[in-house]
């Protein structure tokens, strides 16, 4: 009896195949993703932490503090995010941590 489709995959040494030199394509893709995933997760976590803190401060104090923080948020949201990130990278220079800060802002 011939093997089923799933049994055939179980014996496949490379799930996504291999390149011309016999290296696993899946491990190459995962190895290439590590920097992008770290930047994305770190900038999301930083933005969520800062946003939650500022929201809690605005909600707790209210009044003038809330109005000032809301106007600052309105000013920030009036510019495209990619423009702000490019300006920050121009001012701060290169580096992984600076990219995380620029994307999170």
């Amino acid at each position: 009896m011939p093997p089923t489709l799933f049994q055939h995959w179980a014996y496949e040494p490379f799930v996504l195949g291999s390149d011309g030199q016999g290296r696993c394509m899946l491990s190459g893709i995962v190895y290439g993703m590590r920097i992008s995933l770290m930047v994305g997760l770190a900038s999301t976590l930083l933005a969520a932490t800062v946003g939650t803190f500022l929201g809690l401060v605005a909600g707790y104090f209210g009044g003038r503090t809330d109005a000032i923080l809301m106007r600052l948020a309105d000013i920030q949201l009036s510019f495209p995010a990619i423009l702000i990130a490019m300006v920050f990278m121009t001012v701060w220079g290169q580096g992984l941590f600076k990219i995380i800060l620029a994307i999170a802002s």
Side-chain angles (χ1 to χ4, degrees):
M1 181 161 91
T4 63
L5 181 63
F6 295 114
Q7 288 174 341
H8 175 68
W9 284 353
Y11 297 113
E12 183 70 31
F14 301 116
V15 177
L16 295 180
S18 61
D19 61 1
Q21 297 177 349
R23 296 176 297 197
C24 177
M25 293 298 291
L26 179 62
S27 63
I29 291 170
V30 170
Y31 185 77
M33 285 187 331
R34 70 191 198 295
I35 298 293
S36 299
L37 285 175
M38 184 184 71
V39 168
L41 291 175
S43 61
T44 302
L45 184 64
L46 179 65
T49 303
V50 170
T52 301
F53 176 74
L54 290 177
L56 288 172
V57 167
Y60 182 76
F61 291 108
R64 177 171 278 215
T65 305
D66 183 27
I68 291 171
L69 288 175
M70 286 304 297
R71 293 307 76 99
L72 290 175
D74 289 341
I75 291 170
Q76 180 189 9
L77 290 174
S78 68
F79 295 104
I82 190 71
L83 178 65
I84 294 173
M86 287 178 8
V87 168
F88 283 169
M89 290 305 297
T90 302
V91 172
W92 291 337
Q94 298 176 349
L96 187 62
F97 183 68
K98 295 171 186 173
I99 291 173
I100 293 170
L101 287 177
I103 293 175
S105 62

